[in-house]
Amino acid sequence: QVQLVESGGGLVQAGGSLRLSCAASESDFNRMGWYRQAPGKQRELVAVIYSGGSTVYGDFVKGRFTISRENAKNTVYLQMNSLRPEDTGVYYCYMRRGYTTNYWGQGTQVTVSS
C-alpha cells in the first residue's frame, strides 16, 4: 500500500503563495500530482507530473502554479503563487501506478482570504 503524506497547507491572503509537498512511500509511478475539492464542488485536477517529466495543469491555473518533483525524496511539490479566494479547498495528493491503480493522500486545507 502506497502512503502519501501531504504538508504545506494553511491560511494565506489573496495574492500570497504556498508550497505544498507530497512525500510518497514508493518511487515508481505513472503520474503523481494534486487535485482539489472546494465545499459543494467536485474534485478537480490541479496539476500532475508524469514519470517522463511532462506536466498537465487545470485550466484555472493559468501560469500561477508549478508542479515539480525531487526524485531522491520521492516528493512532489506544488508551488502556488498569486492565490485567489476561489483557490480555497482541500488539496489531495494523488498517485497512479500502472494503468488503473490510484492512491490518495489525506488532504491538506488551503484557505485564501480576501
Side-chain angles (χ1 to χ4, degrees):
Q1 183 73 10
V2 173
Q3 303 295 321
L4 301 174
V5 180
E6 301 126 328
S7 61
L11 173 64
V12 65
Q13 288 189 331
S17 298
L18 283 174
R19 189 176 81 154
L20 306 183
S21 300
C22 176
S25 60
E26 303 288 339
S27 60
D28 180 29
F29 64 88
N30 176 294
R31 69 194 77 163
M32 192 170 169
W34 298 89
Y35 280 69
R36 73 182 188 185
Q37 189 164 20
K41 294 188 176 182
Q42 290 189 332
R43 193 171 294 191
E44 62 181 347
L45 170 71
V46 179
V48 292
I49 185 165
Y50 287 79
S51 58
S54 60
T55 58
V56 174
Y57 294 91
D59 290 341
F60 60 87
V61 170
K62 299 186 186 302
R64 300 181 297 130
F65 300 173
T66 302
I67 189 169
S68 61
R69 67 184 183 190
E70 186 172 358
N71 292 336
K73 295 185 177 181
N74 294 344
T75 298
V76 170
Y77 303 98
L78 183 69
Q79 177 66 43
M80 303 188 293
N81 300 326
S82 302
L83 283 162
R84 306 165 180 167
E86 53 265 38
D87 293 318
T88 294
V90 179
Y91 283 66
Y92 296 93
C93 183
Y94 159 77
M95 174 188 281
R96 172 170 288 186
R97 306 188 84 191
Y99 291 104
T100 59
T101 304
N102 298 320
Y103 299 93
W104 294 93
Q106 79 283 359
T108 185
Q109 177 70 43
V110 171
T111 303
V112 184
S113 64
S114 57

